[in-house]
Amino acid sequence: MTKAYSRFFMGILLIFLAAAIHVLARALPLPFRSNTITLGLYTVVILFWMEKNRRVILHREVARYLGYLGLLLIAYLFLRTVKYELAIKGSTLERYLWYSYYIVLIGIGVFLLFSVLYLDKAPHEKIHGSWRLMYGLLFVFSLLFLTNDFHQLIFSFPLGLSRWSQVPHGYGPLFHLMLTYCGAIVGATFYLSAKKLFDARNMRNTLITFSVPVVWGLYTYFYLKDEPRLSLFFMAFKSPEFNVLITISYIESLIYNRLLPVNLDYEKFWCLSSLDLGMVNHQGRVFANGDGAVFPRDFIVGAEGAARSIDEDSLLESARISTGHAYWRTDISLINEIKRNLQHFGDLMAEENELLEAENQLKLEQARLQEQMELWELIDESLEDQIVKLEEVLGGLSQEEAEFLEGMKLATLINVSIKRCSNMLLLSQKAEASSLVELRLALDETLRYLALFGVMTHLSWEASGSMALSQMLLAYEIFEEVLEGNIDTMEAVLVNVRTEDKSLCLTLEIEHPKEGFEAWRASGEDFSREVFVEEGTLYVRVSLPLEGGQNGLG
């Protein structure tokens, strides 16, 4: 178990231990104050949380604001404990602790809002400097609270300060202004979170985040109602402690939805990639994707700029990145196979004058090699643009980790296009038609890799039967060309495939397409198409015959 998980479970244990102490304090005479003990337990939990944020939050400003937020949460519980456990009731100290309570709550709201302002921002981006005016408002409200005894514009005491705790106090005009200000902060926090979540259009993640304020609202409602059936729960989780847990849970839900950039789960990216890739950090820890082989750090570093041989059919190459080195394995088994075949071919040529059987064998071998070469030439010619693009992406990988990861995402998307087109070309050498399942697998795999770019995808399939492989390849090329033309800007893509009247209908709906995107130009008229943009969505509809046809992409 890692240190992070150990601290997480330790925090959960401390929270329930604090709840148990509150319950026991009501049932048994304990030799200590429950609020004092729970202050210490929750302080440890908050410190664990602050340390975790310092390590995983990529944006320094967000990590700093969350650090301030954690300190205010500790101060919030500390003021509660001192006010009710140590201060003399009705004393001046108790009154100023009461004032400070509100100052801390406003500060918590301000730093929570500052953290939410960075949602979905890159680590180098910053918020507008005008937001820092809220520091001034926080200072003004703090000053007004601390000087309330003199002006009584927030809380008023009709019978004087000497009897402030005996007679109900009144509320001045600045109290309502403070409530409005706090409501605006909370509203802005929820609005910004909701906007980013709805933009992502992931209802599951949206429900996870907004279940937190819903739970807080239900707690507050039943707490004010003094629901007797929940008295044990209210006893175990008192209002200040529950508010602390809700604040932490809300931030954690934003981290879970990746709205705040964190350095977690790099292993998932490697597992999703079909390329044989890995990374090694400066400390020597190696991360490999899937079933990728793990090599010593010195071996990986030594492969930078000069490939090292792993075995007869494999080479290891590496490149420097900001956190260490990235490495990948190159398969040269096909090259070795060609070399061996050519060598065998040369041996047969040397013996053809002596052995008639060898001559016949040579002709058969020559015909087989020619067929393979024609097939590879066909694949190489058809996929020349994608192969060149993949070489450019891999050759231009940046040493910066973020840019390296973006480059690798694009490489995986190009790689799956090459793989799927190659499959169809290979199948076309054996049969003229194939099941539409092959097209569905190609579309589905491409969309899954497209999700690495943060694009929402959905494939609706209502097709069955078989189709000419030339037409199937054309449909996939159209799909790839439209995606590549809009990948820099699109946020969501919906693909619908259905068969009707001996035709295959392919419909693409792309939200936020690239401005000025031009559809392909067809060299043949063996299929119909319709392309238009409406309300920020690009619609591409293509109808291809299930039999016959040629590749019409220009």
Side-chain angles (χ1 to χ4, degrees):
M1 181 180 296
T2 64
K3 183 182 295 184
Y5 282 110
S6 299
R7 289 184 175 179
F8 172 77
F9 289 114
M10 178 64 72
I12 296 296
L13 179 62
L14 293 177
I15 291 171
F16 281 101
L17 178 59
I21 289 174
H22 276 313
V23 174
L24 288 175
R26 289 294 184 92
L28 301 173
L30 299 179
F32 49 78
R33 301 270 190 173
S34 63
N35 285 339
T36 304
I37 298 300
T38 54
L39 169 63
L41 296 176
Y42 271 87
T43 298
V44 174
V45 172
I46 296 171
L47 290 176
F48 281 169
W49 180 67
M50 292 168 61
E51 172 62 17
K52 188 268 295 183
N53 291 336
R54 187 190 65 80
R55 289 185 294 100
V56 305
I57 298 293
L58 292 177
H59 207 299
R60 293 183 179 179
E61 291 294 320
V62 176
R64 184 161 60 90
Y65 291 141
L66 292 180
Y68 295 155
L69 180 62
L71 293 177
L72 288 177
L73 292 176
I74 295 174
Y76 176 53
L77 296 177
F78 177 78
L79 291 174
R80 184 279 306 264
T81 303
V82 174
K83 180 177 182 294
Y84 289 103
E85 302 294 347
L86 302 177
I88 301 174
K89 186 172 180 59
S91 65
T92 301
L93 174 61
E94 184 186 19
R95 187 170 65 256
Y96 275 91
L97 289 171
W98 175 40
Y99 293 159
S100 302
Y101 213 58
Y102 286 93
I103 297 174
V104 170
L105 288 176
I106 297 175
I108 289 173
V110 169
F111 288 115
L112 185 60
L113 175 60
F114 278 179
S115 301
V116 171
L117 287 172
Y118 282 92
L119 291 184
D120 213 18
K121 287 186 180 294
H124 63 276
E125 293 184 87
K126 293 186 177 182
I127 61 176
H128 196 275
S130 59
W131 285 102
R132 302 188 186 280
L133 293 174
M134 296 183 69
Y135 285 131
L137 292 176
L138 176 59
F139 175 77
V140 170
F141 274 115
S142 300
L143 189 62
L144 289 171
F145 270 105
L146 294 176
T147 59
N148 182 73
D149 287 357
F150 302 99
H151 53 72
Q152 297 191 23
L153 293 176
I154 299 179
F155 299 111
S156 60
F157 308 103
L159 299 182
L161 292 173
S162 61
R163 301 181 60 188
W164 72 274
S165 64
Q166 302 172 12
V167 179
H169 59 272
Y171 297 101
L174 292 184
F175 179 80
H176 300 288
L177 178 62
M178 182 272 295
L179 284 183
T180 304
Y181 178 65
C182 291
I185 291 176
V186 174
T189 301
F190 288 153
Y191 170 76
L192 292 172
S193 303
K195 185 176 184 301
K196 293 298 182 182
L197 288 167
F198 285 122
D199 286 346
R201 297 192 176 183
N202 190 322
M203 187 55 64
R204 175 177 173 271
N205 290 348
T206 302
L207 292 176
I208 289 174
T209 296
F210 281 92
S211 63
V212 177
V214 169
V215 170
W216 177 77
L218 292 174
Y219 177 93
T220 304
Y221 171 77
F222 288 113
Y223 183 83
L224 296 175
K225 189 180 177 182
D226 197 16
E227 175 62 46
R229 288 174 294 185
L230 296 176
S231 59
L232 183 61
F233 183 80
F234 293 143
M235 188 185 306
F237 297 95
K238 295 185 177 181
S239 180
E241 295 150 7
F242 192 80
N243 292 338
V244 168
L245 294 178
I246 286 295
T247 303
I248 294 176
S249 299
Y250 193 73
I251 293 296
E252 288 300 307
S253 69
L254 299 178
I255 294 175
Y256 172 80
N257 291 325
R258 294 300 185 268
L259 294 180
L260 291 175
V262 294
N263 57 353
L264 297 174
D265 295 337
Y266 283 134
E267 292 87 348
K268 291 184 179 179
F269 169 73
W270 300 120
C271 293
L272 288 172
S273 173
S274 64
L275 300 176
D276 193 1
L277 297 169
M279 287 196 309
V280 58
N281 60 20
H282 294 303
Q283 290 73 39
R285 184 181 178 188
V286 178
F287 302 87
N289 70 309
D291 297 327
V294 176
F295 301 95
R297 180 180 182 277
D298 293 340
F299 187 75
I300 296 172
V301 173
E304 180 184 355
R308 286 194 169 188
S309 176
I310 301 173
D311 52 40
E312 182 182 357
D313 294 328
S314 301
L315 296 176
L316 184 76
E317 299 180 76
S318 69
R320 186 185 302 274
I321 58 177
S322 61
T323 57
H325 280 76
Y327 70 89
W328 59 95
R329 183 164 52 181
T330 303
D331 186 358
I332 59 172
S333 59
L334 181 59
I335 297 176
N336 291 335
E337 179 68 22
I338 293 175
K339 289 181 178 179
R340 287 191 289 269
N341 289 337
L342 290 175
Q343 182 63 43
H344 181 56
F345 177 76
D347 294 338
L348 292 176
M349 287 292 293
E351 299 175 359
E352 67 175 345
N353 293 329
E354 299 178 4
L355 300 173
L356 180 62
E357 181 179 357
E359 181 180 359
N360 293 334
Q361 181 64 30
L362 174 62
K363 291 180 180 179
L364 292 174
E365 185 71 7
Q366 190 174 17
R368 185 179 68 82
L369 289 175
Q370 183 64 30
E371 180 180 357
Q372 289 184 351
M373 292 176 62
E374 291 176 355
L375 177 57
W376 285 116
E377 288 177 359
L378 172 63
I379 294 176
D380 184 70
E381 180 181 355
S382 301
L383 304 178
E384 182 180 1
D385 292 340
Q386 291 97 316
I387 294 173
V388 171
K389 188 180 297 183
L390 179 60
E391 292 175 347
E392 291 176 352
V393 171
L394 292 178
L397 288 175
S398 171
Q399 294 184 1
E400 293 298 325
E401 182 177 1
E403 295 178 7
F404 176 80
L405 293 179
E406 289 300 318
M408 295 314 304
K409 291 179 185 178
L410 181 58
T412 57
L413 190 62
I414 298 173
N415 181 67
V416 73
S417 172
I418 294 174
K419 182 181 75 172
R420 285 300 174 182
C421 288
S422 300
N423 286 349
M424 295 182 191
L425 289 171
L426 290 171
L427 290 174
S428 66
Q429 302 304 306
K430 299 180 180 180
E432 294 182 357
S434 179
S435 170
L436 285 171
V437 172
E438 180 66 21
L439 177 59
R440 179 174 184 176
L441 292 173
L443 298 178
D444 185 69
E445 185 175 3
T446 303
L447 291 176
R448 283 191 285 110
Y449 277 87
L450 187 62
L452 292 174
F453 291 85
V455 179
M456 295 185 60
T457 63
H458 179 71
L459 173 62
S460 176
W461 187 269
E462 303 173 12
S464 61
S466 59
M467 185 180 188
L469 282 163
S470 59
Q471 294 294 86
M472 190 182 300
L473 182 60
L474 174 59
Y476 183 72
E477 288 175 342
I478 292 171
F479 165 80
E480 281 291 320
E481 182 170 345
V482 175
L483 289 188
E484 291 178 8
N486 296 277
I487 193 170
D488 294 334
T489 61
M490 64 180 174
E491 297 177 355
V493 56
L494 172 64
V495 183
N496 179 270
V497 182
R498 67 181 188 279
T499 50
E500 58 182 22
D501 297 331
K502 296 184 179 181
S503 296
L504 178 76
C505 297
L506 171 65
T507 302
L508 302 177
E509 296 180 26
I510 296 179
E511 182 177 345
H512 200 237
K514 184 175 182 180
E515 187 175 23
F517 171 74
E518 294 183 3
W520 70 95
R521 294 181 175 86
S523 60
E525 295 297 328
D526 54 344
F527 68 95
S528 62
R529 72 276 191 191
E530 181 182 7
V531 182
F532 61 93
V533 177
E534 182 176 305
E535 296 183 355
T537 300
L538 172 66
Y539 294 87
V540 179
R541 296 172 180 164
V542 181
S543 178
L544 305 98
L546 291 175
E547 299 179 359
Q550 298 178 354
N551 189 331
L553 286 179

